[in-house]
Amino acid sequence: MNAVITAVAGYVPPKILSNKDLEKMVDTNDEWIKSRTGISERHLLEDGEGTSVMGIKVLEDLCEKRGISPKEIDLVICATVTPDYQFPSTANIIAAKAGATNAWSFDINAACSGFLYALTTGSQFIETGKYKKVAVIGADKMSSIIDYTDRTTCVLFGDGAGGVILEPTQEQVGVMDSILYTDGEGQKHLYQKAGGSVKPASIESVEAREHYVYQEGQPVFKAAVTGMADVSEEIMKKNNLSSEDVSYLVPHQANLRIIDATARRMGVSKDKVMINIDKFGNTTAGTIPLCLWEWEKKLKKGDNLILATFGGGFTWGAAWIKWGYDSQ
Ligand code: UT7
């Protein structure tokens, strides 16, 4: 039994923050941002709206596209590092508000690798035969943890969400394989210093701006280039896939230079790489499903997709998917 994607949906909020807008906020410029990252603009959720707002829209859309009632969903998994609250999980809120009242639900925290971790987890629940419809959502309101006075991070991130429905199939399509890694030693280069149990929120932690993303760009960049390219090559070799076999690389959108390095290592040409970092920036758990959503109409049954990611933790991985349907 395989788990196959039967619907895909995405959502970005309407408000846009452009490079020109950022030039007025910090000492940066459009040329630097574009040449170092590939980003032109990103979308931001309104103040007072939580990550679940985007996840609810995604789950509603998924059910509508699949032509099912939300009540038919068995399980909702939400990958996020910007949950609405510390608890309950954002997946609980999404399930309730989207009407998936027969589902159980939980969150996964694996930063930018969240969607791949969640997709792999969700597919196991299908492959056991126990569940028939699993919704896997990646959603992040990165603007809620970004310091808009720090030019080294505020230009990178945006808000967005995407997701898929997984269902069982006897055909040789679906989530064929995945390879996932974690290295906790990477934590020091990319994390949120306060707000967890080590350092709960206090006046001091807020004044020290420790509730925002802390990132040392260079070490993360080096680890990301190696990690994402290595694991993409590894999953291809393991499954005897040549670059000609690959229809699309679906990379996490953190930096265009990291994406290019991964594509080069795989021997995949630029026209086979899903790239939307220019419009959305890095939406953390949202990037990969947002790519699938944007490219859905071009995908054909049997297309081989390599999903690849690297993020905070460190966490990284790749998945091989055989697309399960022709889009109308
Ligand atoms: O998805 C989660 C995983 N995260 C990633 O994969 C991100 C990985 N890291 C990166 O993508 C890159 O390291 C960055 C885009 C964050 C930075 O690019 P970089 O080429 O590594 O730049 P850098 O940090 O080496 O900085 C080069 C220069 C510095 O100035 P000096 O010291 O050479 O004078 C920075 O202060 O660029 C300066 N700089 C900026 N200048 C204009 C840093 N940020 C900016 C900015 N605008 N926004």
Side-chain angles (χ1 to χ4, degrees):
M1 182 110 72
N2 271 359
V4 66
I5 293 173
T6 56
V8 55
Y11 177 80
V12 288
K15 188 162 94 185
I16 290 175
L17 182 69
S18 69
N19 291 351
K20 287 278 166 215
D21 296 330
L22 282 161
E23 282 179 7
K24 294 178 206 138
M25 296 159 66
V26 288
D27 180 15
T28 190
N29 59 78
D30 180 52
E31 201 282 323
W32 190 98
I33 303 171
K34 274 193 197 145
S35 62
R36 300 285 180 126
T37 70
I39 303 168
S40 296
E41 57 189 37
R42 58 299 283 141
H43 291 243
L44 301 190
L45 211 53
E46 297 294 337
D47 290 347
E49 291 184 321
T51 295
S52 69
V53 167
M54 300 183 290
I56 293 161
K57 288 191 197 303
V58 166
L59 185 52
E60 286 171 347
D61 256 28
L62 284 171
C63 292
E64 197 182 317
K65 281 176 85 171
R66 185 70 185 104
I68 58 170
S69 156
K71 291 193 166 35
E72 292 178 56
I73 300 287
D74 301 311
L75 166 61
V76 178
I77 306 175
C78 179
T80 186
V81 288
T82 51
D84 283 19
Y85 305 97
Q86 282 278 28
F87 72 91
S89 76
T90 301
N92 291 180
I93 298 165
I94 294 171
K97 296 217 170 127
T101 46
N102 293 316
W104 63 293
S105 55
F106 61 90
D107 285 359
I108 283 184
N109 176 332
C112 298
S113 306
F115 184 75
L116 275 198
Y117 274 48
L119 185 75
T120 303
T121 306
S123 64
Q124 308 300 307
F125 284 101
I126 296 286
E127 285 167 23
T128 61
K130 185 149 186 200
Y131 297 100
K132 302 286 177 246
K133 286 182 177 59
V134 174
V136 176
I137 296 166
D140 271 299
K141 183 188 182 185
M142 292 307 290
S143 62
S144 66
I145 55 167
I146 291 300
D147 182 351
Y148 285 97
T149 66
D150 174 11
R151 70 175 183 173
T152 68
T153 51
C154 74
V155 301
L156 304 174
F157 294 93
D159 302 339
V164 298
I165 291 179
L166 293 171
E167 295 184 54
T169 180
Q170 302 288 349
E171 289 187 72
Q172 279 305 298
V173 292
V175 183
M176 309 301 286
D177 194 15
S178 70
I179 302 174
L180 301 172
Y181 290 109
T182 301
D183 177 6
E185 292 297 323
Q187 178 239 327
K188 57 183 176 288
H189 300 302
L190 177 52
Y191 72 120
Q192 200 177 333
K193 292 185 173 177
S197 54
V198 170
K199 206 183 249 195
S202 65
I203 290 169
E204 291 74 28
S205 69
V206 171
E207 280 176 352
R209 311 183 81 77
E210 289 177 334
H211 295 269
Y212 295 120
V213 169
Y214 170 81
Q215 174 170 257
E216 295 162 5
Q218 293 248 344
V220 178
F221 184 86
K222 276 190 202 145
V225 166
T226 313
M228 221 162 108
D230 281 356
V231 74
S232 303
E233 193 179 30
E234 185 184 349
I235 203 162
M236 285 170 70
K237 278 197 177 138
K238 186 178 163 206
N239 294 287
N240 295 317
L241 292 167
S242 71
S243 51
E244 287 77 48
D245 295 325
V246 175
S247 311
Y248 286 100
L249 164 64
V250 194
H252 170 54
Q253 314 276 311
N255 188 315
L256 192 54
R257 292 181 288 149
I258 300 172
I259 296 172
D260 287 345
T262 304
R264 266 198 307 278
R265 176 81 77 78
M266 292 168 65
V268 164
S269 56
K270 203 99 193 240
D271 56 312
K272 289 177 162 189
V273 185
M274 297 189 190
I275 296 171
N276 56 18
I277 189 171
D278 48 320
K279 294 185 295 182
F280 302 148
N282 183 351
T283 56
T284 302
T287 60
I288 288 178
L290 278 171
C291 282
L292 294 176
W293 170 58
E294 285 215 305
W295 265 259
E296 183 192 15
K297 288 202 164 51
K298 293 190 182 161
L299 298 177
K300 303 215 165 24
K301 187 170 180 178
D303 277 355
N304 290 305
L305 312 185
I306 301 292
L307 283 49
T309 192
F310 187 94
F314 291 143
T315 54
W316 67 106
W320 168 33
I321 287 180
K322 246 188 196 308
W323 197 249
Y325 59 96
D326 294 320
S327 295
Q328 289 87 25

